[in-house]
Amino acid sequence: MQRALSLALLALAASGSYLDAQRCPERAVQHIRPSLRHAPPDLEGTYRAPFEFVCGAPATIRVRRVGAELVATVEADADCPQAGRTRWSGLPPVPGQAEFPVRIARPDGRMADGTARLSDRCGIEVGTGTGRASAYYRTDAACAPEPRPVVVFVGGFADGLNRNVVRVFCAYDAAWEHTRKLYFAYDADRGRMMRAIRDSADGAPVVLVGHSYGGDTAYELADSLGAHVHLLVTLDPVSPRREGQTVPRPREVRRWINVRVGSRPGLSSCGLAGAIGGAWGPQPAADADLRFPPDPAKDDPDDDHCKTEEMFLLQPVQAALAEIR
């Protein structure tokens, strides 16, 4: 019976007619920026303005918290008249806020109202709305240029059609997060995947995010990559050989978050995919074993297995991604 259902599901996925509702909507991609979503951006640090010069050198500022405000002051040699002068100040942004009001020093020393805009987690543009804004780029260790962490997304069965992970992969803003990203189907050549990840990471931290069969593949990749993996995220993983089982923690992986659907499987193609694929059991070896959805009253058996964006946006997952450096 299970084999017959599996063949039927294959046929449905091949035709795509039952998966149309899971395709990306015709709209601009919503950016997923964990470092902005999870907590107030950490803006304290050293920045350089490559197009501005102070006493013959590119302008360098130091952003510090003074009381409740962020204050940006010029860093220069002691004999430079501008050393220690305030460039701008203002209350720091709250989570999810990419712009915040500031007061900007004019050439005559007076302060003018302006706006600071985060261009990414390591860049700030400050201006009054007239003329060119000043662009500052963080240069301390928190924003080292290379090598950047690599976030690897592994799609499950028929992800090219239902785009459950493709949607998340496209929405994750690697440029903003100062990371790089890769995408693989769960059944891609394992050796090629390993080589591509190692070559791309070049010693930098690796994050693996896998859904359904892709969760099973991500788990095995993590076990092989070991200490290179700083974070493993398995989104309702399935595989016949691990159906209903708990699995050991992958060797040397620093952090593992497992998300599992709590509802019984429905009769839609999505619900059947979770059931026929062989859903894993609870994973006590994970650092966090999260039920999805967290509130059982919101269970949706027909679609929960395919709500990858909502799983990916769970607070513990976003918080862990925000910490990746």
Side-chain angles (χ1 to χ4, degrees), residues 150 182 191-204 206 221 224-226 228:
V150 177
L182 297 173
R192 183 178 69 85
M193 295 168 70
M194 293 285 292
R195 289 191 297 273
I197 294 170
R198 286 196 174 109
D199 290 347
S200 183
D202 192 26
V206 173
L221 287 170
S224 299
L225 290 166
H228 293 290

Side-chain angles (χ1 to χ4, degrees), residues 195-285:
R195 289 191 297 273
I197 294 170
R198 286 196 174 109
D199 290 347
S200 183
D202 192 26
V206 173
V207 175
L208 295 170
V209 181
H211 168 247
S212 195
Y213 281 130
D216 186 75
T217 299
Y219 172 84
E220 294 189 349
L221 287 170
D223 202 43
S224 299
L225 290 166
H228 293 290
V229 179
H230 285 222
L231 176 63
L232 167 65
V233 180
T234 46
L235 304 176
D236 204 28
V238 303
S239 60
R241 59 181 170 171
R242 296 188 173 102
E243 181 175 6
Q245 297 182 19
T246 60
V247 298
R249 185 186 184 87
R251 295 173 296 174
E252 300 182 87
V253 168
R254 299 194 182 187
R255 193 170 188 180
W256 174 23
I257 297 177
N258 183 64
V259 181
R260 54 186 174 85
V261 167
S263 63
R264 293 177 177 272
L267 296 178
S268 68
S269 57
C270 179
L272 288 173
I276 296 170
W280 293 12
Q283 301 304 321

Side-chain angles (χ1 to χ4, degrees), residues 5 22 55 67 80 83 99 108 149 191 250 325:
L5 287 171
Q22 297 170 40
C55 296
C80 176
E99 293 186 359
D108 61 7
R325 295 287 191 277

Side-chain angles (χ1 to χ4, degrees), residues 151-173:
V151 182
V152 181
F153 294 84
V154 187
F157 173 72
D159 198 63
L161 290 173
N162 56 50
R163 300 176 65 83
N164 288 324
V165 174
V166 170
R167 287 197 305 269
V168 178
F169 169 78
C170 294
Y172 174 76
D173 195 341

